[in-house]
């Protein structure tokens, strides 16, 4: 029988795979499949064992991902309409408010789960799509209660999903800054007349200009039963300061809070714009040859097989093959490489690249939704939705931190007053605690740091699919490489020539005469090396051994050692080779050999050496024969390698490597035939290239230039990003703890509390922005 378990809160693909794998081993389970996007674990179980299996899955989940809540879906019919709805949350800059919206939406009718992508201003909801209208109304209602200035709209199609997520926010930010400036001017006037009888009204006017919206939201949230938010904390602290006669301090706290909010919004929007500019590869239009003319159309309307015309200065709108013309194209937006690539008839091109010179005509091979550009944009936009464990911890921490500090502040005021009688100092100390209790510095700086690191990596042709992958790369202890297509080019060529009686050029010419009619990859490599037209010959294929050719030079044999042996060719030297040896004999005498092998990439050795220098162990897995694997590993400086592995053998080898690794294990493959190993590793990195859809979809990170050395850069960026995150957490909590302690002891001032809130937030946010600058 089929059993479907909804995995609420599952946002780590590797943890999901671990849960799936462990569930498949449970007694009574025939097969287990995970739909990560829908967060569903689909099990084929024996009749009568559903309850026992469900209990086991809950225990497995609790051990692997304690925050995930499994729930049994009673029958697939009730689940048939569940799909994904994406809402645009225009103007959402506050991570704390965003988390409240997400949490409230997740509890509404028809909704299975909700994920917030703050940087892309998206709320992604898994829900009953037939009730999308009711869900939209509820999302708007919840958002209006929590963040009235945020505009909610339902995105209907793929084109909307990729639309710019910011817009021109300059006017809005200027209005906030103007309010702060006016409030500051009135505040200074109040300081000038501080001793007058109307000083209260001047400070109150400055306070209202700066914080009327904060007070309004605080009252609104209290009436709705949500008192523990930053608006309430600021309102209570500042009005409390007015109550005990500290007018300037109450006014200044509100102004500085608004200034902190301004810089928070500025930092978030700046990061959004930087990533938008970075990934500004979405083509606006396509010029298609239709009938006798050329039509300007949207790229979404172009079909496979149509011919598009691209002029100098234009973006190539879709993936395809050049059918006429030649040009230099700029691929830097996708790969980070500044050197233009030359294309001509027969060359594959990728949408998003810019034509620098020459008119080219391209036959479209993929519709817009299938192009590398669409997949890359979707991946980058969704990156911040895949939260790291640190982000999830901070979210949970903030839920408890603020209420606990508020309760502590109340006790700090009430208990001394009960014991010693009223003294405004006790109220003052409590107000300081309220100011310090805002968790802004943490809830904004941590995700902003991860997003900055992801953006900095993208600028260098390294696409990382979320904060969880950044953490795994930063904690990397072992890197496992696939060989073919990863450390090597994946295409055969003549790498060595061992002549005996002829010069190398003559030996290759003789080999080309014999191999000219063969379709074997080794023959093709010899023909590419010869680069000429060989003599005519009478050629005979010798199955499993090679070929015989009769030509002007006599009888030529080209093939393996068995061919030489069966034809009595002697005096063949022992050659240690990492590839395939083609032995050549002329008129019964040994003439030499050519080595055909997969060429090692130019920077593979540097990549391995760089990783070893970083104290990261390197391992190579390959399905190639042991001799070839040994020599390749020796050339690259890899001490541990495993050869002659089938796909399931690679997974088994990876399991063994993971069990013995001191840190996270990263697998680097081509993303096409290594999907099982990519999924099993703590993080999978694909040598994707700009046109490999499988690579973009299969792994947690993609190296767009196919250079193994980019992995070193990815790890360094991830380590720097995580370092910034840790700095922000330690600094923020350290300062807040110190000021709270001083406040309890009566040794702090309101200015210290303001620094612990606004000052720490500003410093943490500015520090987070460093992650974008690698």
């Amino acid at each position: 029988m089929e059993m479907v378990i909804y995995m609420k809160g599952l946002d780590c693909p590797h943890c999901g795979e671990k849960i799936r794998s462990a569930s498949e081993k449970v007694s009574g389970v025939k097969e287990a499949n995970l739909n990560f996007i829908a967060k569903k674990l689909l099990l084929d179980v024996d009749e009568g064992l559903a309850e026992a299996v469900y209990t086991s899955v809950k225990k497995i989940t609790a051990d692997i991902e304690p925050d995930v809540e499994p729930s049994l879906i009673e029958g697939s019919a009730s689940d048939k309409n569940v799909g994904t709805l994406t809402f645009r949350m225009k103007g959402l800059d506050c991570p704390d408010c965003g988390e409240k919206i997400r949490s409230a939406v997740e509890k509404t009718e028809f909704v299975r789960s909700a994920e917030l992508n703050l940087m892309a201003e998206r709320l992604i909801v898994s829900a009953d799509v037939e009730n999308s209208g009711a869900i939209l109304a509820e999302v708007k209602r919840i958002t209006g209660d929590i963040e009235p200035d945020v505009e909610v709209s339902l995105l209907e199609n793929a084109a909307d999903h990729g639309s710019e997520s910011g817009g021109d926010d300059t006017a809005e930010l200027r209005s906030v800054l103007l309010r702060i400036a006016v409030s500051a001017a009135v505040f200074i006037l109040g300081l000038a007349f501080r001793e007058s009888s109307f000083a209260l009204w001047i400070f109150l006017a400055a306070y209202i200009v700066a914080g009327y919206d904060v007070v309004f939201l605080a009252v609104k949230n209290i009436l709705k039963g949500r008192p523990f938010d930053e608006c309430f904390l600021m309102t209570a602290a500042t009005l409390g300061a007015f109550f005990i006669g500290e007018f300037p301090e109450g006014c200044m706290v509100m102004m500085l809070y608004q200034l902190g909010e301004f810089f928070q919004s500025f930092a978030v929007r700046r990061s959004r714009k930087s990533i938008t500019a970075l990934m500004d590869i979405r083509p606006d239009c396509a010029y298609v040859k239709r009938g006798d003319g050329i039509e300007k159309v949207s790229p979404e309307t172009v079909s496979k097989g149509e011919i598009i015309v691209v002029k100098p200065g234009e973006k190539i709108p879709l993936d395809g093959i050049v059918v006429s013309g030649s040009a230099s194209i700029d691929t830097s937006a996708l790969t980070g490489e500044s050197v233009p690539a030359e294309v001509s008839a027969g060359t594959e091109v990728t949408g998003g690249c810019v034509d620098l010179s020459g008119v080219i005509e391209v036959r479209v091979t993929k519709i817009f939704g299938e192009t590398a550009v669409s997949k890359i944009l979707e991946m980058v936009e969704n990156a911040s939705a895949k939260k790291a464990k640190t982000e999830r911890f901070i979210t949970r921490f903030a839920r408890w931190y603020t209420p606990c500090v508020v309760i502590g502040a109340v006790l700090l005021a009430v208990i001394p007053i009960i014991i010693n009688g009223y003294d405004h100092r006790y109220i003052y100390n409590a107000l300081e605690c309220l100011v310090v209790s805002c968790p802004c510095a943490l809830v904004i700086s941590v995700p902003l740091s991860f997003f900055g690191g992801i953006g900095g990596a993208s600028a260098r042709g390294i696409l990382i699919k979320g904060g969880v992958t950044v953490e795994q790369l930063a904690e990397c202890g072992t890197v496992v490489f696939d060989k073919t297509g990863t450390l090597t080019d994946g295409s055969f060529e003549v790498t060595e020539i061992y002549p005996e009686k002829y010069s190398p050029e003559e030996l290759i010419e003789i080999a080309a005469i014999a191999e000219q009619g063969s379709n074997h990859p080794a023959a093709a490599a010899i023909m590419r090396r010869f680069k000429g037209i060989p003599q005519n010959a009478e050629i005979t294929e010798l199955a499993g051994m090679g070929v015989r050719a009769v030509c002007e030079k006599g009888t030529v044999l080209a093939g393996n050692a068995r061919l030489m042996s069966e034809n009595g060719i002697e005096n063949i030297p022992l050659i240690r080779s990492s590839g395939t040896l083609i032995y050549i004999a002329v008129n019964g005498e040994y003439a030499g050999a050519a080595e055909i092998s997969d060429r090692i990439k130019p920077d593979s050795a540097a990549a391995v050496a760089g990783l070893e220098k970083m104290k990261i162990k390197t391992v190579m897995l390959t399905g190639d024969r042991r001799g070839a694997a040994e020599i390749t590993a020796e050339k690259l400086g890899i001490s541990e390698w495993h050869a002659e592995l089938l796909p399931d053998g690679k997974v088994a080898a990876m399991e063994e490597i993971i069990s013995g690794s001191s840190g996270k294990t990263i697998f680097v493959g081509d993303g096409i035939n290594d999907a099982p190993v990519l999924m099993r590793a703590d993080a999978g990195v694909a040598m994707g290239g700009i046109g490999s859809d499988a690579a973009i979809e299969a792994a947690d990170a993609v190296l767009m230039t196919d250079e193994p050395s980019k992995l070193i850069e990815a790890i360094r960026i991830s380590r720097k990003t995580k370092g910034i995150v840790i700095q922000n957490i330690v600094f923020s909590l350290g300062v807040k703890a110190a000021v709270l302690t001083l406040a309890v002891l009566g040794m702090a001032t309101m200015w210290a509390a303001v620094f612990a809130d606004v000052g720490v937030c500003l410093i943490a946010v500015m520090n987070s922005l460093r992650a974008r600058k690698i």
Side-chain angles (χ1 to χ4, degrees):
M1 61 175 287
E2 185 183 63
M3 180 176 170
V4 182
I5 300 176
Y6 177 64
M7 311 296 285
K8 183 179 179 180
L10 180 63
D11 53 15
C12 171
H14 294 292
C15 297
E17 173 57 23
K18 290 176 184 176
I19 293 171
R20 185 210 65 78
S21 178
S23 298
E24 197 167 47
K25 297 172 183 175
V26 171
S27 177
V29 176
K30 300 175 184 176
E31 184 180 4
N33 291 295
L34 177 69
N35 184 332
F36 178 71
I37 300 300
K39 300 186 179 180
K40 295 178 204 165
L41 183 66
L42 301 100
L43 304 173
D44 184 6
V45 302
D46 293 332
E47 291 288 342
L49 294 178
E51 187 173 343
V53 169
Y54 179 47
T55 302
S56 298
V57 170
K58 286 199 293 186
K59 183 178 184 306
I60 289 167
T61 305
D63 290 342
I64 297 173
E65 270 286 10
D67 296 328
V68 174
E69 301 173 18
S71 59
L72 184 62
I73 296 174
E74 301 291 346
S76 58
S78 64
D79 201 44
K80 63 183 179 182
N81 295 323
V82 172
T84 300
L85 299 173
T86 301
F87 297 94
R88 168 88 179 276
M89 312 294 285
K90 185 177 180 182
L92 181 61
D93 295 328
C94 171
D96 191 35
C97 300
E99 173 58 25
K100 289 174 184 174
I101 293 170
R102 185 208 65 77
S103 179
V105 168
E106 196 169 55
K107 296 172 184 175
T108 60
E109 189 179 7
F110 308 122
V111 174
R112 295 276 188 201
S113 67
E115 292 292 340
L116 177 69
N117 186 336
L118 180 70
M119 291 304 166
E121 297 179 307
R122 301 285 189 268
L123 182 69
I124 302 102
V125 175
S126 176
D128 182 349
V129 294
E130 286 195 351
N131 290 282
S132 59
I135 296 169
L136 174 60
E138 190 65 9
V139 172
K140 284 184 175 180
R141 184 193 68 76
I142 291 169
T143 304
D145 288 344
I146 298 172
E147 275 283 7
D149 296 331
V150 174
E151 298 176 20
V152 179
S153 59
L154 178 63
L155 300 182
E156 299 289 352
N157 53 54
D160 290 337
H161 283 249
S163 61
E164 186 179 352
S165 58
D168 185 9
D169 301 307
T170 307
E172 182 183 341
L173 291 177
R174 280 179 179 170
S175 68
V176 174
L177 205 56
L178 179 62
R179 278 176 51 200
I180 296 172
V182 171
S183 178
V186 177
F187 175 78
I188 293 171
L189 182 65
L191 291 177
F193 294 94
R194 185 171 185 175
E195 303 301 325
S196 67
S197 58
F198 53 84
L200 167 64
W201 302 106
I202 297 176
F203 285 119
L204 193 59
Y207 178 86
I208 291 172
V209 171
Y212 69 88
D213 53 341
V214 176
V215 176
F216 174 76
L217 278 175
V219 174
K220 187 177 179 181
N221 289 336
I222 289 171
L223 294 175
K224 291 183 177 295
R226 294 192 298 265
F228 294 121
D229 67 356
E230 56 191 20
C231 293
F232 164 76
L233 295 174
M234 285 299 108
T235 301
T238 51
L239 291 181
F242 272 83
F243 175 75
I244 62 175
E246 301 289 345
F247 310 143
E249 292 189 7
C251 189
M252 180 59 76
V253 167
M254 183 58 77
M255 285 194 299
L256 289 176
Y257 169 73
Q258 289 286 47
L259 187 64
E261 290 291 291
F262 167 81
F263 279 111
Q264 172 183 295
S265 295
F266 176 77
V268 171
R269 296 178 192 199
R270 183 176 177 185
S271 290
R272 283 180 184 148
K273 287 181 179 179
S274 70
I275 202 70
T276 301
L278 172 72
M279 300 304 294
D280 186 23
I281 55 179
R282 181 178 295 277
D284 301 317
C285 63
Y287 294 92
V288 188
K289 292 180 74 173
R290 290 175 179 169
D292 296 328
I294 297 176
E295 296 182 21
K296 180 181 178 181
V297 300
S298 169
E300 287 91 341
T301 65
V302 181
S303 304
K304 290 182 183 179
E306 290 196 280
I307 303 296
I308 54 176
V309 179
V310 185
K311 299 176 182 177
E314 295 178 350
K315 290 175 188 170
I316 299 173
L318 299 154
D319 296 1
I321 298 174
V322 178
V323 293
S324 69
S326 61
S328 296
I329 62 169
D330 179 5
T331 65
S332 59
L334 284 82
T335 66
E337 290 297 311
S338 58
V339 179
E342 301 297 326
V343 299
S344 57
T347 307
E348 291 187 9
V349 292
T350 304
C353 298
V354 179
D355 185 346
L356 300 176
S357 64
V359 179
I360 55 174
E361 294 186 357
V362 179
R363 177 180 292 109
V364 176
T365 56
K366 295 176 184 175
I367 60 173
F368 185 77
E370 298 175 354
T371 60
V373 167
S374 294
K375 294 179 187 296
I376 292 168
L377 284 169
E378 182 182 358
M379 191 191 79
V380 172
E381 287 174 350
N382 292 336
S384 65
K386 296 182 178 178
K387 300 184 185 301
K389 287 185 178 180
T390 308
E391 291 179 88
R392 296 200 298 271
F393 164 75
I394 290 300
T395 301
R396 294 195 301 271
F397 175 82
R399 290 176 191 163
W400 292 99
Y401 167 76
T402 302
C404 288
V405 175
V406 170
I407 293 169
V410 172
L411 295 176
L412 185 63
V414 172
I415 292 175
I417 289 175
I418 293 174
I419 296 174
N420 301 321
Y422 175 79
D423 190 325
H424 82 278
R425 288 179 303 171
Y426 303 140
I427 304 293
Y428 188 80
N429 293 340
L431 295 177
E432 291 171 350
C433 290
L434 288 181
V435 174
V436 176
S437 64
C438 278
C440 303
L442 292 173
V443 295
I444 182 61
S445 66
V446 171
L448 197 62
S449 299
F450 281 112
F451 194 73
I454 291 168
S458 298
R460 286 154 180 79
I462 303 165
L463 303 184
I464 299 176
K465 294 186 180 180
V468 63
T469 305
V470 172
E471 279 193 336
Q472 287 161 340
L473 288 170
E475 297 167 12
C476 173
T478 303
V479 172
V480 181
F481 288 102
D482 175 48
K483 183 175 83 73
T484 306
T486 302
L487 295 172
T488 64
D489 278 334
S491 58
F492 288 101
E493 64 177 28
V494 177
T495 51
E496 293 288 346
I497 301 172
Y498 304 97
E500 192 73 16
K501 296 180 62 177
Y502 301 89
S503 68
E505 292 75 17
E506 289 174 326
L507 188 65
I508 286 296
E509 181 182 0
I510 293 168
I513 292 171
E515 299 284 8
Q516 59 184 300
S518 174
N519 293 323
H520 193 278
I526 288 173
M527 297 308 297
R528 285 194 298 270
R529 177 62 180 266
F530 177 55
K531 295 180 181 178
I533 301 174
Q535 298 175 12
N536 291 327
E538 183 182 328
I539 300 170
T540 304
E541 291 272 357
L542 303 172
M545 294 187 291
V547 295
R548 176 188 290 111
V550 179
C551 60
E552 293 180 5
K553 294 183 180 292
T555 300
V556 178
L557 296 173
N560 56 24
R562 181 184 165 195
L563 176 64
M564 299 293 110
S565 176
E566 292 201 0
N567 284 273
I569 308 300
E570 300 176 346
N571 301 321
I572 298 177
L574 179 63
I575 301 173
R576 189 167 177 263
S577 167
S578 61
T580 300
L581 288 172
I582 303 296
Y583 296 100
I584 302 158
V586 179
N587 296 324
E589 293 186 12
Y590 176 70
E595 179 185 281
I596 313 296
S597 61
D598 189 6
R599 185 174 67 92
I600 294 174
K601 290 181 179 178
D603 75 337
S604 290
V608 172
L611 291 169
E612 294 286 352
K613 190 174 181 180
M614 295 167 73
K615 308 300 182 186
I616 296 174
K617 180 182 177 182
T618 56
V619 183
M620 185 181 75
L621 302 182
T622 180
D624 207 346
R625 59 189 179 85
R626 292 185 60 84
E630 182 179 9
I631 293 174
T632 300
E634 188 178 289
K635 288 180 179 179
L636 294 174
I638 297 176
S639 57
E640 182 180 341
W641 51 270
H642 304 266
E644 299 178 359
L645 297 174
L646 296 174
D648 58 341
K650 285 187 178 181
V651 174
M654 175 60 75
E655 295 273 5
E656 186 179 336
I657 292 166
I658 290 173
S659 65
S661 177
S662 58
K664 297 295 183 182
T665 301
I666 310 300
F667 181 78
V668 187
D670 58 22
I672 298 171
N673 53 11
D674 290 314
V677 202
L678 284 166
M679 287 297 294
R680 181 60 193 91
D682 292 312
V685 178
M687 304 293 295
I690 60 175
S692 175
D693 297 340
I696 293 170
E697 293 177 357
D700 302 294
V702 183
L703 309 182
M704 298 300 288
T705 58
D706 273 346
E707 297 172 290
S709 60
K710 282 285 186 180
L711 180 63
I712 297 174
E713 203 168 352
I715 293 172
R716 284 177 177 160
I717 290 171
S718 298
R719 286 182 174 178
K720 178 179 179 180
T721 301
K722 188 174 182 184
I724 291 172
V725 168
I726 292 172
Q727 290 167 14
N728 285 339
I729 292 174
V730 172
F731 174 70
S732 300
L733 292 181
V735 173
K736 285 179 180 290
V739 174
L740 280 172
T741 302
L742 293 174
V744 170
L745 297 174
M747 299 170 62
T749 65
M750 186 65 78
W751 301 111
V754 169
F755 173 75
D757 175 39
V758 179
V760 167
C761 183
L762 290 179
I763 292 171
V765 167
M766 294 302 126
N767 192 42
S768 298
L769 294 179
R770 289 196 306 116
R772 296 187 304 114
K773 305 293 184 183
I774 307 300

